[in-house]
Every structure is written in C-alpha cells, then in structure tokens.
Amino acid sequence: SIMVATGKGAHLGVLFRDAEAIEVLQSVDTLVVDKTGTLTEGRPELQAIRPRDGWSEDELLRLAASLERGSEHPLAAAIVDGARMRGVALADGADFESVTGKGVRGRVDGRAVALGNQAMMEEAGVALDELAAQAETLRSEGHTVMFVAVDGDTAGLLSVADPVKASTPEAIRLLHDAGIEIVMLTGDSLTTARAVADRLG
C-alpha cells in the first residue's frame, strides 16, 4: 500500500488531515512525499550568480530579476528578493511568457531575456558550453540551477537552494523506524534530487 503526501502547510514534518489517515497508515509500507514545502521549507533563497565573460553579477541578476517580477513562482521570488538584498535596481519587463516546465522569457530594456532550465536553453538554440559543468557542480550541492540567455546567447546562471525543514530528519527517522520506505517526488533535476535525498537518508 502506498500513501502520497504533499504537505502544503505541514509544520511538524508529517501532516495527518484526519483520524482515518492514521488508520490507513498502519497498512502503508511506502510513503511518497513532495520535496518542496514538505521536506524543505518551501522558501528558496538565491545562492550563486555565475556570469559569463563580459557580464557582471549585478547586471546578470538585474535582467533575471526584472524578468522574474512577472512570475509568482517561488524560484522567481528568490531571485527578486536576492536582487533587492544586493541593492540591484530592477527594470520593467515586457512580453512576459511562462513556459511550463522550462522557465520564463520576455524583454527587459528592449533585450530578449530567457531564464530557465537546460530544456529552455535548447529550445532557444542556446549553447551552454562551460556553464553546463558549473551547473552540475551546484546541483550536486542541492541547488536548483537556472540559465540566463540574453539576445540569443548565454549570459550566465543563477542557483537557488531551499533549506530542509528542521523537523524533517527526525520525521524521516521515525518513519524508517516504523518500517516505511520513503520516496521523494520532485520536478527538480535528478542531481539536485539525489543530493537532497542523500542528505536526508
């Protein structure tokens, strides 16, 4: 028997909505949990800014954050908040478009800006070159990586990380002690997912 948990608003690591769920859990041997907001805080924070030659960290962040102001995604909020904390002045974006599962694109200061994952860059015909290796290193540390392209060429990458909830390790230990196998479900990259899974056992 398998139970799926997607704990929006789970504060103690494990959330039971009613008594029946506890009864059902007695017959469950596999628990599938969402990563973001269940195992992690659900409040990602900007971690790394890696511009390519010819770009500064602040300009890369300014373009990305100006574009992301049009998004309600938690990763977007992390980039916008990171820019504001660094005192980076944002511009108004235009023609904002969200591409499900890939990223966002639009115009900032008249320049075509795209921000997203590798699939987004491939769709735009943008070569990642040395950024691909940098991204994989950051993912191995549990970061979620987003590439930035400007006017059809890569400008750099940004990474964010979502801290693990303080209650998560103990909750996982208790579930393991009860003989329950835990599976983490995430839309993040495989390397990032493995890094978080390894950290939590």
Side-chain angles (χ1 to χ4, degrees), residues 107-142:
R107 303 193 73 81
V108 178
D109 290 343
R111 310 188 75 170
V113 181
L115 175 71
N117 58 21
Q118 188 164 334
M120 180 82 162
M121 297 298 109
E122 289 172 355
E123 182 181 277
V126 175
L128 297 179
D129 300 324
E130 78 281 358
L131 289 179
Q134 293 183 43
E136 196 65 3
T137 298
L138 290 166
R139 291 187 190 113
S140 70
E141 298 170 4

Side-chain angles (χ1 to χ4, degrees), residues 67 104-106 111-116 120-121 124 126 147-151:
L67 178 64
V104 296
R105 57 192 172 207
R111 310 188 75 170
V113 181
L115 175 71
M120 180 82 162
M121 297 298 109
V126 175
F147 300 100
V148 183
V150 179
D151 293 333

Side-chain angles (χ1 to χ4, degrees), residues 68 75-76 79 115-117 144-148 156-160:
E68 285 284 43
L75 298 182
I79 292 171
L115 175 71
N117 58 21
T144 298
V145 175
M146 288 158 285
F147 300 100
V148 183
L157 64 78
L158 306 172
S159 80
V160 304

